[in-house]
Amino acid sequence: QTVVTQEPSLTVSPGGTVTLTCASSTGAVTSGYYPNWFQQKPGQPPRSLIYSTTDKHFWTPARFSGSLLGGKAALTLSGVQPEDEAHYYCLLYYGNANWVFGGGTKLTVL
Amino acid sequence: QIKLEQSGGEVKKPGASVKVSCKASGYSFTSYSISWVRQAPGQGLEWMGWVSAYKANTNYAQKFQGRVTMTTETSTNTAYMELRSLRSDDTAVYYCAREGWDLVDYWGQGTLVTVSS
């Protein structure tokens, strides 16, 4: 069974920079996994931030960026704002129309 | 604007079935697929499967194969997810989301399904 692993929790200070990562039990994450990143706040549906590793939607704030880092997908927040406190989930594509979510990272802004 | 509107919450007994609907608007329904994702209370997101709105072909996560059916109705731009033989651990919020070939972007508001005797 494929497992996608994220940091369970991270803490960052307002105005700081933090990088969340997303690893696959099958090996290095590449662009072929089309990494997607989502933000979810309590009581709300997830909101898509990044797709296909680095691409942003028109609604994605500029401080969010996606990349590949050391065999993992990564989401970097630069100049963190208090409203960025949320859960963040990655989603990887495993072919044949199969997707798998990571377990999520709870980001605290403190 | 693009919107996915889901049906209301459901309470079901163990062993029953539930069918959740997802009505899409604001885009060409058959140009995208619909993914279904669930989230148990206090837990993370779980991808359940996918249905093509164009060809109606499907792919289900192995965990749900044999117990889930995903369909679409192009005349009403609506997708459906039916889950059978419900158990208490199926209690969750069920989301539909629009899926392209490399992305999952717009989400429905979620439907709470509670399984309880």
Side-chain angles (χ1 to χ4, degrees):
Chain A
Q1 178 174 336
T2 301
V3 177
V4 177
T5 302
Q6 300 181 241
E7 297 86 1
S9 63
L10 291 170
T11 300
V12 61
S13 299
T17 296
V18 65
T19 296
L20 290 64
T21 67
C22 175
S24 172
S25 63
T26 59
V29 176
T30 65
S31 59
Y33 286 78
Y34 304 111
N36 280 239
W37 289 92
F38 303 89
Q39 177 191 66
Q40 188 181 33
K41 296 182 178 180
Q44 297 182 16
R47 180 175 75 136
S48 177
L49 295 173
I50 300 287
Y51 64 97
S52 201
T53 309
T54 60
D55 293 344
K56 300 181 185 183
H57 300 284
F58 67 86
W59 60 76
T60 304
R63 62 184 180 275
F64 291 88
S65 63
S67 65
L68 295 176
L69 200 62
K72 301 178 184 180
L75 176 70
T76 299
L77 288 71
S78 304
V80 171
Q81 302 295 308
E83 61 265 29
D84 297 333
E85 184 163 294
H87 280 88
Y88 291 84
Y89 295 93
C90 66
L91 178 65
L92 300 181
Y93 181 70
Y94 286 88
N96 296 319
N98 283 291
W99 295 89
V100 179
F101 280 100
T105 296
K106 181 177 180 180
L107 183 66
T108 300
V109 181
L110 202 59
Chain B
Q1 77 281 21
I2 295 170
K3 194 171 181 181
L4 299 176
E5 189 73 31
Q6 298 184 223
S7 49
E10 304 260 13
V11 180
K12 296 292 183 181
K13 294 194 181 305
S17 299
V18 69
K19 192 169 186 178
V20 179
S21 67
C22 170
K23 184 172 176 60
S25 59
Y27 72 96
S28 173
F29 184 63
T30 54
S31 295
Y32 292 84
S33 301
I34 295 288
S35 274
W36 289 90
V37 175
R38 76 177 187 180
Q39 186 170 38
Q43 302 301 309
L45 303 173
E46 182 174 31
W47 184 82
M48 298 178 67
W50 157 99
V51 56
S52 164
Y54 177 59
K55 293 185 176 180
N57 46 324
T58 55
N59 187 61
Y60 306 136
Q62 189 172 8
K63 175 178 180 178
F64 299 100
Q65 285 179 8
R67 210 161 64 94
V68 71
T69 301
M70 298 176 187
T71 56
T72 58
E73 188 176 82
T74 55
S75 62
T76 59
N77 290 353
T78 303
Y80 299 91
M81 186 282 299
E82 181 180 35
L83 188 63
R84 300 177 291 278
S85 302
L86 290 169
R87 308 183 289 253
S88 57
D89 62 358
D90 290 318
T91 294
V93 175
Y94 289 77
Y95 295 102
C96 62
R98 190 179 80 160
E99 180 188 331
W101 66 274
D102 64 346
L103 61 76
V104 174
D105 54 6
Y106 290 88
W107 293 67
Q109 82 275 20
T111 297
L112 175 61
V113 175
T114 302
V115 183
S116 173
S117 55

